[in-house]
Amino acid sequence: MSDDLRVTELSAGRENGRARYVLYWMQVYKRAAHNHALDFAVRAANERGLPVVVYEGLKYYYPWANDRLHTFILEGVAEKREEFARRGIRYVFYLQRHARDPRHTVARLARAAALVVTDDFPSFIVPEHNRHITEQVSVPVYAVDSNGVVPLRAFEKEEYAARTIRPKIRRLLPEHLKPSRGVAVKRRAPHLEVDCPETLVTGANVAALVAECDIDHAVKPSPIYRGGTSAGRARLRRFVKNILPRYDETRNEPSVDGTSRLSPYLHFGFLSALEVALAVERADAPRGAKDAYLEELIVRRELAYNFARFNPDHDSLDSLPAWAKKTMREHAADARPALLTPEQIEGAETYDELWDATQRELVRTGEIHNYVRMLWGKRVIEWRPTYEDSFRLLEHLNNKYALDGRNPNSYAGILWCFGKHDRAWGPERDVFGKLRFMSSQAMARKFDARRYVEWTKSLPAPLAN
Ligand SMILES: Cc1cc2nc3c(=O)[nH]c(=O)nc-3n(C[C@H](O)[C@H](O)[C@H](O)COP(=O)(O)OP(=O)(O)OC[C@H]3O[C@@H](n4cnc5c(N)ncnc54)[C@H](O)[C@@H]3O)c2cc1C
């Protein structure tokens, strides 16, 4: 059963002979389609003549839990309930609001399960969850990788850079860039009784539920992005029809709507990279534009996931290549002439107008345009006393405000600013050493920076508490 490259047996366990269902614990692939973990659970249930229970929980105490992230996740719940009911699958959603609410719900549900299937996401809290669950349940537990177009296990080690993973991905794509049909359940049981608390989420009660949670209420929901697979698909359709044909030109112009803006939907698994890649392949757009997009969606994204999978230090400066560590050691004592406090940086109150605009976009919308996100990361290196300080502040801001944060891309992107997946550059400079340097002045000459800055000022500011 586990010779599929996407499937890992986390613990062998003993199957429960009196099981009532197969349990799929949905952690990050928050979707009913193009989901290899769900398909695996349905096949396992069909083989045993059992129904499927899908469990999705949202707790109040994950790092950076706030109104923005909770709202985005909850907006995707009601449509999943309908979709799973239509497919004959029992879907249980439970919002754990505060310390007084019941815990250990997965273990409780697992008692009546033949086996447990869950998501194999290589970053944030999921690896720890997956270690923990095997200690709590006695039935077999499988983790299934539905992260990218190519399975993570198709690569044997950490890849050095895009240029090393690209040819391998190209070779593997014909085998993997194919529609996955989904598997129909044989034993329908959409209303099966289960031993687990449940929360009814409707279109109308999301804000009220979020208000009850013991989380950071200062980070407001995004005024632009709405959570859920249908919102993601609407954006995908719009992107493919109106933006993709000129993506290779418009992607570098933050003052227009010229990229896909799909990363929040990919991060929360509302859309699968496979579905997006296939929509792009089928689109009526020039080959050059499609290739430019697929380079980002597949090569860059899967390089980041490969990094997270194989490098246990992927959330720290320890994961940098030797040349980057050496140049940072050599420049650690360089004077930082324009130090800023974390509050000035977080509040977009620096002396750099373009940088402030990127931070304003992040705080107000939950995203930074792809083209200026590099500048956003690079500049903070100069503003804090140590590289470690800069890195931790970037991690904090990105994971707190960005809808697509807490992802392998977050770490690969931030660490790229410190040399990961990059090469040494000259001339050697103060503070940056051989790290690639970026200035706001040079960046501002490459696009309509004035228009971008004004646009970020026109965005609705978060409401005061
Ligand atoms: C400092 C810094 C922090 C970043 N933090 C994140 C993050 O938290 N989450 C995140 O998803 N991406 C992050 N990135 C990568 C990239 O900036 C975003 O994926 C991109 O801005 C998302 O916008 P989009 O969907 O419009 O991208 P598009 O240009 O439409 O690209 C399509 C998709 O390709 C993927 N992609 C694009 N660029 C990259 C890249 N450089 N590396 C990996 N995948 C990429 C994303 O999934 C994206 O949705 C970061 C980059 C930097 C430099």
Side-chain angles (χ1 to χ4, degrees), residues 239 247 251 259-264 266-267 293 296-298 300-301 304 367-371 373-374 376-377 394 398-399 402 404-407 409-414 416-417:
F239 169 69
Y247 173 78
R251 61 195 287 208
T259 65
S260 72
R261 302 273 185 176
L262 287 175
S263 57
L266 290 163
H267 167 68
Y293 185 76
E296 302 295 325
L297 177 75
I298 305 180
R300 296 281 162 182
R301 185 171 177 275
E367 257 292 356
I368 307 181
H369 190 281
N370 199 350
Y371 193 53
R373 207 158 182 171
M374 298 172 269
W376 176 79
L394 286 166
N398 194 76
N399 288 352
D404 63 9
R406 307 152 311 281
N407 183 274
N409 282 358
S410 319
Y411 289 98
I414 293 169
W416 176 86
C417 298

Short mmCIF file of all heavy atoms in Angstrom, two decimals, residues 239 247 251 259-264 266-267 293 296-298 300-301 304 367-371 373-374 376-377 394 398-399 402 404-407 409-414 416-417, ligand 1:
data_model
loop_
_atom_site.label_atom_id
_atom_site.label_comp_id
_atom_site.label_asym_id
_atom_site.label_seq_id
_atom_site.Cartn_x
_atom_site.Cartn_y
_atom_site.Cartn_z
N PHE A 239 -7.00 35.08 -13.56
CA PHE A 239 -5.57 35.16 -13.88
C PHE A 239 -5.28 34.55 -15.25
O PHE A 239 -4.64 35.16 -16.10
CB PHE A 239 -4.75 34.44 -12.80
CG PHE A 239 -3.32 34.24 -13.19
CD1 PHE A 239 -2.46 35.33 -13.30
CD2 PHE A 239 -2.82 32.98 -13.48
CE1 PHE A 239 -1.13 35.16 -13.69
CE2 PHE A 239 -1.49 32.80 -13.87
CZ PHE A 239 -0.65 33.90 -13.98
N TYR A 247 1.92 37.67 -18.60
CA TYR A 247 2.56 37.53 -17.29
C TYR A 247 4.06 37.83 -17.33
O TYR A 247 4.61 38.47 -16.44
CB TYR A 247 2.32 36.11 -16.75
CG TYR A 247 3.07 35.78 -15.48
CD1 TYR A 247 2.64 36.24 -14.24
CD2 TYR A 247 4.23 34.99 -15.51
CE1 TYR A 247 3.33 35.94 -13.07
CE2 TYR A 247 4.93 34.69 -14.35
CZ TYR A 247 4.47 35.16 -13.13
OH TYR A 247 5.16 34.86 -11.98
N ARG A 251 4.55 40.78 -14.61
CA ARG A 251 4.96 40.30 -13.29
C ARG A 251 5.93 41.24 -12.58
O ARG A 251 6.06 41.21 -11.37
CB ARG A 251 5.63 38.92 -13.44
CG ARG A 251 6.85 39.02 -14.32
CD ARG A 251 7.34 37.71 -14.79
NE ARG A 251 7.97 36.99 -13.73
CZ ARG A 251 8.95 36.09 -13.90
NH1 ARG A 251 9.37 35.79 -15.13
NH2 ARG A 251 9.47 35.47 -12.91
N THR A 259 0.31 39.60 -11.51
CA THR A 259 0.76 38.24 -11.15
C THR A 259 -0.47 37.44 -10.72
O THR A 259 -1.58 37.97 -10.69
CB THR A 259 1.78 38.27 -9.98
OG1 THR A 259 1.11 38.76 -8.82
CG2 THR A 259 2.98 39.14 -10.29
N SER A 260 -0.26 36.20 -10.35
CA SER A 260 -1.46 35.37 -10.06
C SER A 260 -2.08 35.68 -8.71
O SER A 260 -3.27 35.49 -8.52
CB SER A 260 -1.10 33.89 -10.13
OG SER A 260 -0.31 33.51 -9.02
N ARG A 261 -1.26 36.14 -7.74
CA ARG A 261 -1.76 36.36 -6.37
C ARG A 261 -2.43 35.11 -5.82
O ARG A 261 -3.42 35.18 -5.09
CB ARG A 261 -2.75 37.53 -6.33
CG ARG A 261 -2.17 38.84 -6.84
CD ARG A 261 -1.48 39.60 -5.74
NE ARG A 261 -1.01 40.91 -6.16
CZ ARG A 261 -0.44 41.77 -5.34
NH1 ARG A 261 -0.25 41.46 -4.08
NH2 ARG A 261 -0.01 42.92 -5.77
N LEU A 262 -1.92 33.96 -6.21
CA LEU A 262 -2.53 32.70 -5.76
C LEU A 262 -1.82 32.09 -4.55
O LEU A 262 -2.28 31.09 -4.01
CB LEU A 262 -2.54 31.68 -6.92
CG LEU A 262 -3.55 31.95 -8.02
CD1 LEU A 262 -3.38 30.95 -9.17
CD2 LEU A 262 -4.99 31.89 -7.49
N SER A 263 -0.70 32.70 -4.12
CA SER A 263 0.07 32.01 -3.08
C SER A 263 -0.71 31.78 -1.78
O SER A 263 -0.51 30.74 -1.14
CB SER A 263 1.40 32.71 -2.82
OG SER A 263 1.19 34.04 -2.47
N PRO A 264 -1.63 32.67 -1.35
CA PRO A 264 -2.41 32.34 -0.14
C PRO A 264 -3.26 31.08 -0.33
O PRO A 264 -3.41 30.27 0.59
CB PRO A 264 -3.31 33.57 0.06
CG PRO A 264 -2.57 34.69 -0.61
CD PRO A 264 -1.90 34.05 -1.80
N LEU A 266 -2.58 28.62 -2.42
CA LEU A 266 -1.67 27.46 -2.47
C LEU A 266 -1.18 27.12 -1.06
O LEU A 266 -1.12 25.96 -0.69
CB LEU A 266 -0.48 27.77 -3.38
CG LEU A 266 -0.84 27.85 -4.87
CD1 LEU A 266 0.27 28.55 -5.66
CD2 LEU A 266 -1.09 26.45 -5.44
N HIS A 267 -0.87 28.14 -0.28
CA HIS A 267 -0.36 27.86 1.07
C HIS A 267 -1.38 27.09 1.90
O HIS A 267 -1.04 26.10 2.55
CB HIS A 267 0.03 29.14 1.81
CG HIS A 267 0.26 28.89 3.26
ND1 HIS A 267 1.32 28.14 3.72
CD2 HIS A 267 -0.46 29.22 4.36
CE1 HIS A 267 1.25 28.02 5.03
NE2 HIS A 267 0.17 28.66 5.45
N TYR A 293 5.57 31.47 -15.93
CA TYR A 293 4.75 31.21 -14.75
C TYR A 293 5.09 29.85 -14.13
O TYR A 293 5.23 29.72 -12.91
CB TYR A 293 3.25 31.28 -15.11
CG TYR A 293 2.41 31.14 -13.88
CD1 TYR A 293 2.27 32.21 -13.01
CD2 TYR A 293 1.81 29.94 -13.55
CE1 TYR A 293 1.55 32.09 -11.83
CE2 TYR A 293 1.08 29.80 -12.37
CZ TYR A 293 0.96 30.88 -11.52
OH TYR A 293 0.25 30.75 -10.35
N GLU A 296 8.03 29.67 -11.84
CA GLU A 296 7.78 30.11 -10.46
C GLU A 296 7.00 29.04 -9.70
O GLU A 296 7.36 28.63 -8.60
CB GLU A 296 6.96 31.42 -10.43
CG GLU A 296 7.58 32.59 -11.16
CD GLU A 296 8.87 33.06 -10.54
OE1 GLU A 296 9.01 33.01 -9.31
OE2 GLU A 296 9.77 33.46 -11.29
N LEU A 297 5.89 28.62 -10.31
CA LEU A 297 4.96 27.71 -9.62
C LEU A 297 5.56 26.33 -9.36
O LEU A 297 5.28 25.70 -8.34
CB LEU A 297 3.68 27.54 -10.46
CG LEU A 297 2.67 26.57 -9.87
CD1 LEU A 297 1.95 27.20 -8.68
CD2 LEU A 297 1.68 26.08 -10.90
N ILE A 298 6.37 25.86 -10.31
CA ILE A 298 6.90 24.51 -10.13
C ILE A 298 8.36 24.55 -9.69
O ILE A 298 8.70 24.06 -8.60
CB ILE A 298 6.70 23.64 -11.40
CG1 ILE A 298 5.21 23.64 -11.79
CG2 ILE A 298 7.19 22.21 -11.14
CD1 ILE A 298 4.85 22.83 -13.01
N ARG A 300 10.60 27.06 -8.70
CA ARG A 300 10.94 27.81 -7.48
C ARG A 300 10.20 27.25 -6.27
O ARG A 300 10.77 27.10 -5.18
CB ARG A 300 10.57 29.29 -7.63
CG ARG A 300 11.36 29.98 -8.69
CD ARG A 300 12.73 30.33 -8.16
NE ARG A 300 13.64 30.59 -9.26
CZ ARG A 300 14.93 30.88 -9.11
NH1 ARG A 300 15.47 30.93 -7.90
NH2 ARG A 300 15.70 31.11 -10.14
N ARG A 301 8.93 26.97 -6.45
CA ARG A 301 8.13 26.50 -5.31
C ARG A 301 8.62 25.12 -4.86
O ARG A 301 8.79 24.85 -3.68
CB ARG A 301 6.65 26.47 -5.70
CG ARG A 301 5.71 26.11 -4.58
CD ARG A 301 4.26 26.33 -5.00
NE ARG A 301 3.35 25.92 -3.95
CZ ARG A 301 2.94 24.68 -3.77
NH1 ARG A 301 3.32 23.72 -4.60
NH2 ARG A 301 2.13 24.38 -2.77
N ALA A 304 11.78 25.18 -2.91
CA ALA A 304 11.56 25.57 -1.51
C ALA A 304 11.07 24.38 -0.68
O ALA A 304 11.52 24.15 0.45
CB ALA A 304 10.56 26.72 -1.44
N GLU A 367 -0.29 40.38 1.83
CA GLU A 367 0.60 39.95 0.73
C GLU A 367 1.58 41.08 0.40
O GLU A 367 1.31 42.24 0.70
CB GLU A 367 -0.21 39.66 -0.54
CG GLU A 367 -0.42 38.20 -0.83
CD GLU A 367 0.85 37.45 -1.21
OE1 GLU A 367 1.92 38.07 -1.34
OE2 GLU A 367 0.77 36.23 -1.37
N ILE A 368 2.70 40.72 -0.21
CA ILE A 368 3.58 41.73 -0.83
C ILE A 368 3.76 41.28 -2.27
O ILE A 368 3.96 40.09 -2.53
CB ILE A 368 4.98 41.78 -0.18
CG1 ILE A 368 4.90 41.96 1.33
CG2 ILE A 368 5.82 42.90 -0.81
CD1 ILE A 368 6.27 42.04 2.01
N HIS A 369 3.72 42.24 -3.18
CA HIS A 369 3.90 41.87 -4.59
C HIS A 369 5.23 41.12 -4.77
O HIS A 369 6.26 41.52 -4.21
CB HIS A 369 3.88 43.13 -5.46
CG HIS A 369 3.82 42.81 -6.92
ND1 HIS A 369 4.92 42.42 -7.64
CD2 HIS A 369 2.78 42.79 -7.77
CE1 HIS A 369 4.57 42.19 -8.89
NE2 HIS A 369 3.26 42.40 -9.00
N ASN A 370 5.18 40.08 -5.60
CA ASN A 370 6.35 39.23 -5.83
C ASN A 370 7.62 40.05 -6.16
O ASN A 370 8.70 39.77 -5.63
CB ASN A 370 6.02 38.26 -6.98
CG ASN A 370 6.95 37.06 -6.98
OD1 ASN A 370 7.94 37.03 -6.25
ND2 ASN A 370 6.64 36.07 -7.79
N TYR A 371 7.47 41.05 -7.00
CA TYR A 371 8.66 41.76 -7.49
C TYR A 371 9.37 42.55 -6.39
O TYR A 371 10.59 42.67 -6.39
CB TYR A 371 8.24 42.69 -8.63
CG TYR A 371 9.41 43.23 -9.43
CD1 TYR A 371 10.36 42.36 -9.99
CD2 TYR A 371 9.58 44.59 -9.64
CE1 TYR A 371 11.43 42.84 -10.72
CE2 TYR A 371 10.64 45.09 -10.37
CZ TYR A 371 11.57 44.21 -10.90
OH TYR A 371 12.64 44.68 -11.63
N ARG A 373 9.08 41.92 -3.08
CA ARG A 373 9.25 41.16 -1.84
C ARG A 373 10.74 40.94 -1.52
O ARG A 373 11.15 40.88 -0.37
CB ARG A 373 8.53 39.81 -1.96
CG ARG A 373 8.09 39.25 -0.63
CD ARG A 373 6.99 38.26 -0.81
NE ARG A 373 6.52 37.75 0.45
CZ ARG A 373 5.44 36.99 0.59
NH1 ARG A 373 4.73 36.67 -0.46
NH2 ARG A 373 5.07 36.54 1.76
N MET A 374 11.55 40.84 -2.58
CA MET A 374 12.99 40.68 -2.37
C MET A 374 13.56 41.93 -1.71
O MET A 374 14.36 41.86 -0.78
CB MET A 374 13.69 40.44 -3.70
CG MET A 374 13.23 39.18 -4.38
SD MET A 374 13.88 39.01 -6.04
CE MET A 374 12.60 39.79 -7.00
N TRP A 376 11.93 44.01 0.10
CA TRP A 376 11.39 44.02 1.47
C TRP A 376 12.34 43.25 2.41
O TRP A 376 12.65 43.71 3.51
CB TRP A 376 9.99 43.40 1.47
CG TRP A 376 9.39 43.26 2.83
CD1 TRP A 376 8.80 44.24 3.57
CD2 TRP A 376 9.34 42.07 3.63
NE1 TRP A 376 8.38 43.73 4.78
CE2 TRP A 376 8.68 42.41 4.85
CE3 TRP A 376 9.76 40.75 3.45
CZ2 TRP A 376 8.46 41.48 5.86
CZ3 TRP A 376 9.52 39.82 4.47
CH2 TRP A 376 8.88 40.19 5.66
N GLY A 377 12.80 42.09 1.97
CA GLY A 377 13.69 41.29 2.81
C GLY A 377 15.09 41.87 2.89
O GLY A 377 15.68 41.99 3.97
N LEU A 394 12.25 39.42 10.09
CA LEU A 394 11.59 39.13 8.81
C LEU A 394 10.65 37.93 8.95
O LEU A 394 9.53 37.93 8.45
CB LEU A 394 12.64 38.85 7.72
CG LEU A 394 13.39 40.09 7.21
CD1 LEU A 394 14.62 39.67 6.41
CD2 LEU A 394 12.47 40.96 6.34
N ASN A 398 6.69 38.34 8.34
CA ASN A 398 6.13 37.56 7.23
C ASN A 398 5.07 36.58 7.74
O ASN A 398 3.98 36.47 7.19
CB ASN A 398 7.27 36.80 6.55
CG ASN A 398 6.88 36.22 5.20
OD1 ASN A 398 6.80 36.95 4.21
ND2 ASN A 398 6.62 34.93 5.15
N ASN A 399 5.40 35.91 8.84
CA ASN A 399 4.48 34.88 9.33
C ASN A 399 3.28 35.47 10.05
O ASN A 399 2.21 34.85 10.11
CB ASN A 399 5.23 33.89 10.23
CG ASN A 399 6.14 32.98 9.41
OD1 ASN A 399 6.08 33.01 8.18
ND2 ASN A 399 6.96 32.20 10.06
N ALA A 402 1.49 37.83 6.54
CA ALA A 402 1.27 37.30 5.19
C ALA A 402 0.35 36.09 5.22
O ALA A 402 0.58 35.14 5.98
CB ALA A 402 2.61 36.92 4.55
N ASP A 404 0.24 33.93 3.01
CA ASP A 404 0.99 32.78 2.52
C ASP A 404 2.21 32.46 3.39
O ASP A 404 3.06 31.64 3.01
CB ASP A 404 1.41 32.98 1.05
CG ASP A 404 2.35 34.16 0.87
OD1 ASP A 404 2.83 34.74 1.87
OD2 ASP A 404 2.63 34.53 -0.30
N GLY A 405 2.32 33.10 4.57
CA GLY A 405 3.47 32.85 5.44
C GLY A 405 3.42 31.46 6.07
O GLY A 405 2.51 30.68 5.82
N ARG A 406 4.46 31.16 6.91
CA ARG A 406 4.54 29.86 7.62
C ARG A 406 4.62 28.69 6.63
O ARG A 406 4.07 27.61 6.87
CB ARG A 406 3.33 29.68 8.59
CG ARG A 406 3.17 30.84 9.55
CD ARG A 406 1.75 31.07 10.02
NE ARG A 406 0.80 31.11 8.93
CZ ARG A 406 0.60 32.15 8.13
NH1 ARG A 406 1.23 33.28 8.32
NH2 ARG A 406 -0.22 32.08 7.10
N ASN A 407 5.29 28.94 5.53
CA ASN A 407 5.34 28.00 4.40
C ASN A 407 6.81 27.77 4.03
O ASN A 407 7.65 28.62 4.31
CB ASN A 407 4.59 28.68 3.23
CG ASN A 407 4.48 27.82 2.00
OD1 ASN A 407 5.38 27.80 1.17
ND2 ASN A 407 3.38 27.12 1.87
N ASN A 409 8.06 28.25 1.26
CA ASN A 409 8.42 29.43 0.45
C ASN A 409 8.80 30.62 1.31
O ASN A 409 9.60 31.46 0.90
CB ASN A 409 7.23 29.88 -0.41
CG ASN A 409 7.02 29.03 -1.63
OD1 ASN A 409 7.78 28.11 -1.88
ND2 ASN A 409 6.00 29.33 -2.39
N SER A 410 8.19 30.72 2.50
CA SER A 410 8.52 31.84 3.38
C SER A 410 10.00 31.76 3.76
O SER A 410 10.73 32.75 3.70
CB SER A 410 7.70 31.79 4.68
OG SER A 410 6.38 31.41 4.44
N TYR A 411 10.43 30.56 4.15
CA TYR A 411 11.81 30.40 4.61
C TYR A 411 12.78 30.48 3.44
O TYR A 411 13.83 31.12 3.53
CB TYR A 411 11.95 29.12 5.44
CG TYR A 411 11.23 29.32 6.76
CD1 TYR A 411 9.94 28.83 6.95
CD2 TYR A 411 11.81 30.09 7.76
CE1 TYR A 411 9.25 29.09 8.14
CE2 TYR A 411 11.14 30.36 8.94
CZ TYR A 411 9.86 29.86 9.13
OH TYR A 411 9.18 30.14 10.29
N ALA A 412 12.43 29.83 2.32
CA ALA A 412 13.33 29.90 1.16
C ALA A 412 13.44 31.35 0.69
O ALA A 412 14.52 31.82 0.33
CB ALA A 412 12.82 29.00 0.04
N GLY A 413 12.32 32.09 0.71
CA GLY A 413 12.32 33.48 0.24
C GLY A 413 13.14 34.37 1.15
O GLY A 413 13.98 35.15 0.70
N ILE A 414 12.92 34.26 2.46
CA ILE A 414 13.66 35.13 3.40
C ILE A 414 15.14 34.75 3.37
O ILE A 414 16.02 35.61 3.31
CB ILE A 414 13.07 35.01 4.82
CG1 ILE A 414 11.66 35.61 4.83
CG2 ILE A 414 13.95 35.72 5.84
CD1 ILE A 414 10.87 35.32 6.10
N TRP A 416 16.75 33.44 1.00
CA TRP A 416 17.34 33.84 -0.29
C TRP A 416 18.00 35.21 -0.12
O TRP A 416 19.07 35.47 -0.68
CB TRP A 416 16.26 33.88 -1.38
CG TRP A 416 16.80 34.38 -2.69
CD1 TRP A 416 17.41 33.65 -3.66
CD2 TRP A 416 16.80 35.74 -3.14
NE1 TRP A 416 17.80 34.47 -4.69
CE2 TRP A 416 17.44 35.76 -4.39
CE3 TRP A 416 16.33 36.94 -2.60
CZ2 TRP A 416 17.61 36.92 -5.13
CZ3 TRP A 416 16.51 38.11 -3.33
CH2 TRP A 416 17.13 38.10 -4.58
N CYS A 417 17.38 36.08 0.68
CA CYS A 417 17.95 37.41 0.92
C CYS A 417 19.33 37.29 1.58
O CYS A 417 20.16 38.20 1.50
CB CYS A 417 17.03 38.25 1.80
SG CYS A 417 15.42 38.53 1.05
C1 LIG B 1 11.58 37.80 1.46
C2 LIG B 1 10.64 36.87 0.75
C3 LIG B 1 9.61 36.25 1.45
C4 LIG B 1 8.73 35.38 0.80
N1 LIG B 1 7.75 34.80 1.54
C5 LIG B 1 6.88 33.95 0.92
C6 LIG B 1 5.84 33.33 1.66
O1 LIG B 1 5.71 33.52 2.87
N2 LIG B 1 4.99 32.48 1.00
C7 LIG B 1 5.10 32.26 -0.35
O2 LIG B 1 4.29 31.50 -0.90
N3 LIG B 1 6.08 32.83 -1.06
C8 LIG B 1 6.97 33.68 -0.49
N4 LIG B 1 7.96 34.27 -1.21
C9 LIG B 1 8.09 33.91 -2.65
C10 LIG B 1 7.29 34.83 -3.60
O3 LIG B 1 7.60 36.15 -3.35
C11 LIG B 1 5.77 34.62 -3.48
O4 LIG B 1 5.48 33.26 -3.71
C12 LIG B 1 5.00 35.47 -4.49
O5 LIG B 1 5.18 36.82 -4.19
C13 LIG B 1 3.52 35.14 -4.44
O6 LIG B 1 2.81 36.01 -5.29
P1 LIG B 1 2.00 35.46 -6.55
O7 LIG B 1 1.15 34.33 -6.13
O8 LIG B 1 1.35 36.62 -7.21
O9 LIG B 1 3.20 34.92 -7.43
P2 LIG B 1 3.27 34.57 -9.00
O10 LIG B 1 4.29 35.47 -9.61
O11 LIG B 1 1.95 34.58 -9.62
O12 LIG B 1 3.90 33.11 -8.97
C14 LIG B 1 3.09 31.92 -8.98
C15 LIG B 1 3.37 31.03 -7.81
O13 LIG B 1 4.70 30.55 -7.87
C16 LIG B 1 5.24 30.43 -6.55
N5 LIG B 1 6.39 31.33 -6.44
C17 LIG B 1 6.57 32.54 -7.02
N6 LIG B 1 7.78 33.04 -6.70
C18 LIG B 1 8.36 32.13 -5.88
C19 LIG B 1 9.61 32.08 -5.21
N7 LIG B 1 10.53 33.05 -5.32
N8 LIG B 1 9.88 31.01 -4.44
C20 LIG B 1 8.99 30.00 -4.31
N9 LIG B 1 7.78 30.00 -4.94
C21 LIG B 1 7.48 31.05 -5.70
C22 LIG B 1 4.14 30.85 -5.58
O14 LIG B 1 3.46 29.71 -5.12
C23 LIG B 1 3.24 31.72 -6.47
O15 LIG B 1 1.90 31.77 -6.02
C24 LIG B 1 8.88 35.12 -0.59
C25 LIG B 1 9.92 35.74 -1.29
C26 LIG B 1 10.79 36.60 -0.63
C27 LIG B 1 11.89 37.23 -1.41
#
